[in-house]
Amino acid sequence: MIAYIREQGAKISREGRRLIVTTADMKRTIFVEQLEQLLIFGNVQLTPPALLFLLREDVDTVFLRADGRYTGRDRCAGNMQ
């Protein structure tokens, strides 16, 4: 599964083996076992525990500007201990 987080001001946090995406009016759960790629658009907060979890689980995480222009990518979990 590929997840797109586009809601500006959203927050991604970790809860056990899940990622919780919180926005002003909604809360969504993403199960990392089903996640192969996470695309984050613009002003989205990613907590340090969530980022470390994505790295350890080898989830390709792509950072984009709000308009979709590529900013960077983090896929180096194989090097983490």
Side-chain angles (χ1 to χ4, degrees):
M1 171 178 82
I2 298 173
Y4 299 83
I5 310 301
R6 293 184 274 185
E7 178 79 24
Q8 299 303 288
K11 178 181 178 182
I12 303 171
S13 56
R14 177 184 177 187
E15 215 175 78
R17 294 201 45 80
R18 300 171 295 172
L19 294 175
I20 306 299
V21 181
T22 307
T23 64
D25 59 349
M26 192 176 290
K27 195 173 191 179
R28 296 184 185 122
T29 300
I30 299 173
F31 295 95
V32 80
E33 293 84 11
Q34 302 169 354
L35 189 61
E36 67 180 72
Q37 188 176 52
L38 179 66
L39 285 89
I40 299 173
F41 290 78
N43 181 27
V44 175
Q45 179 185 358
L46 182 61
T47 65
L51 178 58
L52 184 59
F53 185 53
L54 289 165
L55 289 169
R56 286 190 176 150
E57 295 298 317
D58 199 24
V59 175
D60 184 26
T61 305
V62 181
F63 298 91
L64 303 135
R65 293 186 346 185
D67 64 5
R69 289 190 61 191
Y70 178 80
T71 301
R73 160 179 260 137
D74 202 349
R75 187 176 174 120
C76 59
N79 298 329
M80 296 202 56
Q81 296 298 322

